[in-house]
């Protein structure tokens, strides 16, 4: 079983749970600081490791009119400020090869969006940064296929790889999270992440935007953590219904301390009696 070291964190399927959390897209420096502060405190109190998440660009919005974010320059300035203020690692999406080197100069973990998980040149560019690489499993891929995705990144000599489950397309505007996929991906040895909030999204479900069922995000998170995984990815916002993107599936920020505390209880049980599949 591989352990991925990100700053002072040790991330692995047999290590204490890591919480990857933050808003869907960055809105401002103050907003990022507010969420990072509350999430860092919640994780510290529960004994969880914490990585701050935010997107500088949402390049795969349902509609052309959807808000995309602050852009790479402002986004990287905010990430650098979050690192300096809170001492935590940060993670963000990259969408093109040329973004990787620039983002990799500051950000600790580069995230490959699910729609792009088979883009060989993007995976290679992310791997060459030497940073952590979190690859979201495409909604169109089976869990065993992620081993070849990981191989592409590892071919660069970088094995700081995380494999992330975020649901599989089930008919129109719906996703299903098959929990068998988590131990299947864990057979690669790489740390496995459960994206609990995107897995309850309803892609394009509102016509010009995606819908979601945020009430089921903690359900999927609990189910995943009980299997013994490395990390849970959860987007959060103080007012998700008025957030610029992914509001229907983001968890209310004031609920996150309780969510994190419960997940750590499940994690302790799972890690004390590992399930081997």
């Amino acid at each position: 079983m591989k352990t991925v070291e990100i700053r002072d964190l040790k991330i692995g399927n047999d290590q204490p749970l890591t919480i990857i959390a933050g808003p869907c897209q960055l809105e401002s420096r103050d907003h990022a600081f507010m969420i990072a502060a509350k999430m860092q405190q919640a994780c510290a109190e529960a004994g969880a490791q914490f990585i701050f998440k935010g997107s500088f660009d949402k390049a795969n919005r349902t509609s052309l009119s959807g808000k995309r974010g602050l852009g790479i320059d402002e986004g990287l300035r905010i990430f650098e400020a979050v690192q300096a203020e809170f001492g935590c690692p940060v993670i963000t999406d990259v969408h093109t090869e040329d973004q990787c080197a620039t983002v990799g100069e500051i950000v600790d973990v580069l995230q490959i969006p699910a729609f792009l998980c088979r883009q060989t040149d993007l995976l290679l560019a992310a791997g060459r940064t030497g940073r952590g690489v979190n690859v979201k499993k495409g909604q169109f891929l089976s869990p065993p296929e992620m081993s070849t995705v990981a191989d592409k990144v590892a071919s660069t000599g970088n094995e700081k790889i995380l494999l992330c489950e975020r649901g599989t397309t089930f008919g129109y505007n719906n996703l299903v999270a098959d929990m068998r996929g988590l131990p299947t991906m864990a057979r690669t040895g790489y740390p496995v992440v459960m994206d609990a909030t995107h897995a309850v999204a309803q892609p394009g479900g509102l016509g010009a935007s995606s819908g979601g069922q945020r009430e089921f995000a903690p359900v999927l998170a609990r189910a995943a953590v009980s299997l013994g995984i490395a990390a849970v990815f959860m987007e959060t916002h103080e007012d998700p219904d008025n957030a610029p993107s992914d509001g229907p599936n983001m968890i209310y920020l004031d609920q996150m301390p309780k969510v994190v505390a419960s997940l750590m209880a499940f994690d302790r049980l799972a890690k004390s009696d590992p399930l081997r599949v």
Side-chain angles (χ1 to χ4, degrees), residues 82-99:
V82 168
Q83 291 167 326
E85 179 71 18
F86 301 99
C88 63
V90 297
I91 182 173
T92 196
D93 306 284
V94 288
H95 298 90
T96 62
E97 299 158 51
D98 62 309
Q99 290 178 345

Side-chain angles (χ1 to χ4, degrees), residues 237-277:
H237 197 278
E238 78 284 1
D239 184 15
D241 289 334
N242 290 299
S245 58
D246 275 2
N249 47 277
M250 281 198 283
I251 300 172
Y252 281 95
L253 183 60
D254 62 5
Q255 296 175 4
M256 289 295 278
K258 184 176 180 180
V259 170
V260 172
S262 69
L263 292 182
M264 288 308 297
F266 280 94
D267 184 66
R268 286 188 290 270
L269 176 61
K271 304 288 169 64
S272 69
D273 183 21
L275 179 65
R276 306 298 182 194
V277 179

Side-chain angles (χ1 to χ4, degrees), residues 87-171:
C88 63
V90 297
I91 182 173
T92 196
D93 306 284
V94 288
H95 298 90
T96 62
E97 299 158 51
D98 62 309
Q99 290 178 345
C100 293
T102 301
V103 172
E105 291 179 2
I106 293 173
V107 170
D108 301 283
V109 184
L110 279 64
Q111 184 162 275
I112 307 297
F115 289 123
L116 302 178
C117 72
R118 289 185 63 173
Q119 295 297 105
T120 301
D121 291 338
L122 178 60
L123 293 167
L124 296 178
R128 291 189 191 106
T129 67
R131 296 293 196 170
V133 181
N134 182 37
V135 188
K136 292 197 176 185
K137 181 180 74 64
Q139 302 91 325
F140 44 85
L141 284 188
S142 65
E145 291 176 87
M146 286 298 283
S147 64
T148 59
V149 172
D151 288 345
K152 292 180 182 181
V153 180
S155 73
T156 67
N158 183 355
E159 293 198 346
K160 294 181 180 180
I161 301 167
L162 312 176
L163 301 179
C164 184
E165 170 62 61
R166 52 94 72 237
T168 301
T169 298
F170 186 76

Side-chain angles (χ1 to χ4, degrees), residues 33-46:
F33 270 38
M34 182 271 293
I35 291 183
K38 292 188 178 181
M39 285 307 310
Q40 185 179 60
Q41 180 180 356
C43 289
E45 291 176 352

Side-chain angles (χ1 to χ4, degrees), residues 6 9 11 18-22 43 49-53 88-91 108-109 162:
I6 306 293
L9 306 188
I11 304 172
T18 297
I19 301 296
I20 302 171
C43 289
Q49 303 188 115
F50 172 56
I51 298 176
F52 176 78
K53 180 269 164 188
C88 63
V90 297
I91 182 173
D108 301 283
V109 184
L162 312 176

